[in-house]
Amino acid sequence: MRIPILKLKDCLLISIQWELDDQTALEFQEDLLHKIHATSARGVVIDITSIDFIDSFIAKVLGDVISMSKLMGAKVVITGIQPAVAITLIELGIRLEDVLTAIDLDNGLEKLQQELGD
Amino acid sequence: MRIPILKLKDCLLISIQWELDDQTALEFQEDLLHKIHATSARGVVIDITSIDFIDSFIAKVLGDVISMSKLMGAKVVITGIQPAVAITLIELGIRLEDVLTAIDLDNGLEKLQQELGD
């Protein structure tokens, strides 16, 4: 089962609500990039509030998908990073630099729309 | 794997992007009602754009979850009903009366916010 990607105006919303296995993470990466291309989305909000643990592979996929989305011209906001996930990301050296973050989906979407100048 | 339910302001967004099996449909019904209760959501948008076939069990669950959400005080909008799904619903006698519908998620959310008086 793949992670649903919702389109709202010119943004894509994704809520990851369970721990990803490696295969699902790679499918998500592929699906998101195709969806950005197909919808000409200008922004992406990835909500990971429900994720309380992240391993090095998933962290790398997340870092990669952010860089790839940027290359395609979409701004990415990550919302709801929990303490343990923040610790893991920094300890793994994945600094998610230049990535917008926000406490929840509402704030993330607001931040993104400000950035996009809507 | 359960269907993710996103909370945006006082609404819940759900995008069903694959055919549901019976078990997933029932879990979705339960999850949605719990989430309405937990978040005090006033509105729900269920997007079924990706669904091009619906069987009688899923149609019944969909009809039920709409009635149940209403009982709990949340307005429901169904978006993206495809021709074959519309035909099946009417042929099965599931008229989804008093249910708001819209062509896509953007329009559905707009309609809902008008109804809720935002």
XYZ file of all heavy atoms in Angstrom, chain A residues 41-81:
299
model
N 3.214 21.090 -8.904
C 3.107 21.613 -7.534
C 4.302 22.498 -7.224
O 5.417 22.227 -7.645
C 3.037 20.457 -6.543
N 4.037 23.579 -6.483
C 5.108 24.505 -6.116
C 5.595 24.262 -4.691
O 6.628 24.777 -4.282
C 4.613 25.940 -6.249
C 4.275 26.325 -7.695
C 3.501 27.640 -7.719
N 4.273 28.734 -7.174
C 3.754 29.757 -6.488
N 2.464 29.822 -6.261
N 4.517 30.717 -6.014
N 4.805 23.508 -3.934
C 5.192 23.260 -2.549
C 4.776 21.875 -2.088
O 3.853 21.279 -2.651
N 5.492 21.378 -1.092
C 5.195 20.051 -0.545
C 5.258 20.138 0.978
O 6.214 20.697 1.524
C 6.242 19.013 -1.021
C 5.975 17.653 -0.390
C 6.272 18.913 -2.537
N 4.234 19.643 1.660
C 4.295 19.542 3.124
C 4.286 18.070 3.505
O 3.381 17.334 3.118
C 3.095 20.235 3.811
C 3.265 20.217 5.325
C 2.933 21.660 3.325
N 5.328 17.643 4.209
C 5.396 16.258 4.673
C 5.249 16.268 6.189
O 6.090 16.814 6.904
C 6.730 15.585 4.270
C 6.940 15.679 2.743
C 6.758 14.135 4.727
C 8.275 15.120 2.265
N 4.154 15.705 6.653
C 3.880 15.690 8.091
C 4.304 14.353 8.681
O 3.833 13.297 8.259
C 2.390 15.916 8.329
C 2.051 15.939 9.815
O 2.676 16.735 10.539
O 1.196 15.150 10.236
N 5.228 14.405 9.658
C 5.709 13.144 10.246
C 5.426 13.095 11.755
O 6.137 12.434 12.503
C 7.212 12.902 9.944
C 8.086 14.066 10.424
C 7.435 12.696 8.456
C 9.591 13.735 10.331
N 4.350 13.795 12.153
C 3.956 13.832 13.571
C 3.862 12.438 14.180
O 4.227 12.236 15.339
C 2.574 14.520 13.711
O 2.621 15.764 13.024
C 2.219 14.748 15.167
N 3.346 11.484 13.413
C 3.102 10.151 13.973
C 4.354 9.275 14.026
O 4.315 8.165 14.534
C 2.036 9.421 13.156
O 0.904 10.237 12.985
N 5.443 9.784 13.468
C 6.672 8.984 13.436
C 7.507 9.279 14.677
O 7.943 10.405 14.882
C 7.513 9.337 12.173
C 6.700 9.118 10.900
C 8.815 8.553 12.148
C 6.362 7.696 10.611
N 7.695 8.272 15.534
C 8.515 8.536 16.720
C 9.860 7.826 16.669
O 10.617 7.845 17.630
C 7.761 8.200 18.018
C 7.046 6.879 17.917
O 7.457 6.058 17.080
O 6.069 6.671 18.661
N 10.136 7.214 15.530
C 11.436 6.559 15.381
C 11.808 6.575 13.904
O 10.953 6.352 13.050
C 11.353 5.115 15.898
C 12.534 4.295 15.499
C 13.723 4.379 16.215
C 12.481 3.453 14.392
C 14.833 3.634 15.842
C 13.592 2.704 14.012
C 14.761 2.797 14.740
N 13.053 6.845 13.620
C 13.478 6.880 12.217
C 14.846 6.210 12.121
O 15.725 6.456 12.948
C 13.489 8.349 11.716
C 13.611 8.445 10.203
C 14.567 9.162 12.389
C 13.337 9.838 9.667
N 15.006 5.303 11.171
C 16.324 4.666 11.052
C 17.143 5.362 9.969
O 16.658 6.271 9.284
C 16.196 3.146 10.813
C 15.607 2.825 9.451
O 15.655 3.678 8.545
O 15.084 1.711 9.282
N 18.404 4.951 9.820
C 19.306 5.711 8.961
C 18.876 5.656 7.496
O 18.999 6.637 6.767
C 20.746 5.205 9.114
O 20.796 3.842 8.752
N 18.313 4.525 7.072
C 17.886 4.423 5.674
C 16.737 5.393 5.377
O 16.765 6.130 4.382
C 17.473 2.989 5.329
C 17.108 2.816 3.876
C 18.086 2.704 2.909
C 15.772 2.805 3.480
C 17.750 2.566 1.568
C 15.422 2.683 2.143
C 16.418 2.559 1.185
N 15.730 5.380 6.254
C 14.571 6.256 6.054
C 14.997 7.721 6.134
O 14.533 8.568 5.351
C 13.475 5.965 7.108
C 13.051 4.494 7.072
C 12.266 6.866 6.899
C 12.384 4.043 5.808
N 15.912 8.015 7.072
C 16.402 9.383 7.207
C 17.084 9.830 5.909
O 16.879 10.950 5.446
C 17.373 9.479 8.380
N 17.847 8.915 5.310
C 18.535 9.253 4.057
C 17.517 9.487 2.929
O 17.622 10.440 2.168
C 19.507 8.132 3.677
C 20.351 8.494 2.476
C 21.238 7.364 2.014
C 21.863 7.684 0.651
N 20.875 8.064 -0.375
N 16.509 8.598 2.854
C 15.472 8.756 1.823
C 14.770 10.101 1.991
O 14.522 10.813 1.018
C 14.449 7.594 1.881
C 13.263 7.866 0.964
C 15.110 6.283 1.499
N 14.489 10.457 3.230
C 13.806 11.724 3.510
C 14.679 12.896 3.061
O 14.199 13.815 2.374
C 13.500 11.809 5.011
C 12.540 12.908 5.444
C 11.146 12.662 4.885
C 12.472 13.004 6.966
N 15.952 12.857 3.437
C 16.880 13.898 3.007
C 16.955 13.982 1.485
O 16.903 15.062 0.902
N 17.026 12.819 0.850
C 17.120 12.768 -0.615
C 15.877 13.349 -1.288
O 15.972 14.107 -2.247
C 17.270 11.315 -1.089
C 18.669 10.779 -0.816
O 19.535 11.576 -0.392
O 18.892 9.574 -1.010
N 14.708 12.958 -0.780
C 13.464 13.369 -1.432
C 13.299 14.888 -1.334
O 12.779 15.532 -2.241
C 12.246 12.578 -0.883
C 11.711 13.161 0.394
C 11.139 12.517 -1.913
N 13.808 15.466 -0.252
C 13.759 16.922 -0.096
C 14.654 17.588 -1.150
O 14.230 18.519 -1.839
C 14.185 17.321 1.332
C 13.132 16.838 2.340
C 14.375 18.818 1.439
C 13.568 16.918 3.780
N 15.885 17.069 -1.283
C 16.805 17.640 -2.274
C 16.250 17.482 -3.686
O 16.331 18.387 -4.517
C 18.167 16.947 -2.203
O 18.607 16.889 -0.875
N 15.675 16.300 -3.964
C 15.136 16.033 -5.301
C 13.954 16.951 -5.611
O 13.841 17.478 -6.720
C 14.691 14.573 -5.395
C 15.841 13.588 -5.334
S 15.210 11.908 -5.051
C 16.733 10.979 -4.876
N 13.081 17.150 -4.618
C 11.916 18.017 -4.828
C 12.371 19.434 -5.129
O 11.816 20.118 -5.997
C 11.017 18.027 -3.582
O 10.627 16.715 -3.267
N 13.401 19.872 -4.393
C 13.954 21.215 -4.618
C 14.472 21.354 -6.042
O 14.228 22.352 -6.706
C 15.107 21.461 -3.653
C 14.681 22.062 -2.351
C 15.929 22.523 -1.612
C 15.633 22.748 -0.158
N 16.884 22.791 0.624
N 15.192 20.340 -6.493
C 15.715 20.351 -7.864
C 14.591 20.530 -8.868
O 14.753 21.149 -9.911
C 16.436 19.038 -8.167
C 17.895 18.914 -7.752
C 18.429 17.563 -8.198
C 18.719 20.044 -8.372
N 13.439 19.937 -8.540
C 12.299 20.020 -9.453
C 11.532 21.322 -9.287
O 10.554 21.566 -9.986
C 11.374 18.817 -9.236
C 12.032 17.516 -9.654
S 10.922 16.107 -9.457
C 9.682 16.451 -10.708
N 11.942 22.140 -8.320
C 11.340 23.457 -8.186
C 10.252 23.565 -7.131
O 9.526 24.560 -7.080
N 10.142 22.549 -6.274
C 9.108 22.604 -5.232
C 9.746 22.845 -3.863
O 10.755 22.221 -3.525
C 8.315 21.303 -5.207
N 9.158 23.758 -3.104
C 9.634 24.004 -1.740
C 9.072 22.934 -0.818
O 7.911 22.562 -0.944
C 9.134 25.362 -1.250
C 10.106 26.467 -1.513
C 9.853 27.650 -0.590
C 10.774 28.796 -0.944
N 12.212 28.491 -0.789
N 9.894 22.476 0.133
C 9.436 21.414 1.026
C 9.388 21.908 2.468
O 10.299 22.602 2.926
C 10.360 20.183 0.951
C 9.879 19.089 1.876
C 10.446 19.674 -0.477
N 8.310 21.605 3.154
C 8.208 21.860 4.593
C 7.994 20.525 5.287
O 7.139 19.737 4.868
C 7.015 22.788 4.931
C 6.976 23.082 6.420
C 7.084 24.069 4.151
N 8.786 20.268 6.318
C 8.592 19.067 7.135
C 7.924 19.502 8.427
O 8.372 20.447 9.072
C 9.944 18.391 7.482
C 10.759 18.100 6.230
C 9.712 17.126 8.290
C 10.255 16.964 5.411
N 6.847 18.849 8.795
C 6.153 19.261 10.019
C 6.093 18.114 11.028
O 6.097 16.945 10.666
C 4.714 19.742 9.719
O 3.959 18.647 9.198
C 4.709 20.850 8.694
N 6.045 18.496 12.287
C 5.835 17.539 13.370
C 7.011 16.626 13.664
O 6.817 15.469 14.040
N 8.241 17.144 13.512
C 9.409 16.318 13.852
C 9.463 16.136 15.371
O 9.522 17.105 16.116
C 10.722 16.971 13.354
C 10.732 17.005 11.820
C 11.947 16.224 13.890
C 11.992 17.590 11.211
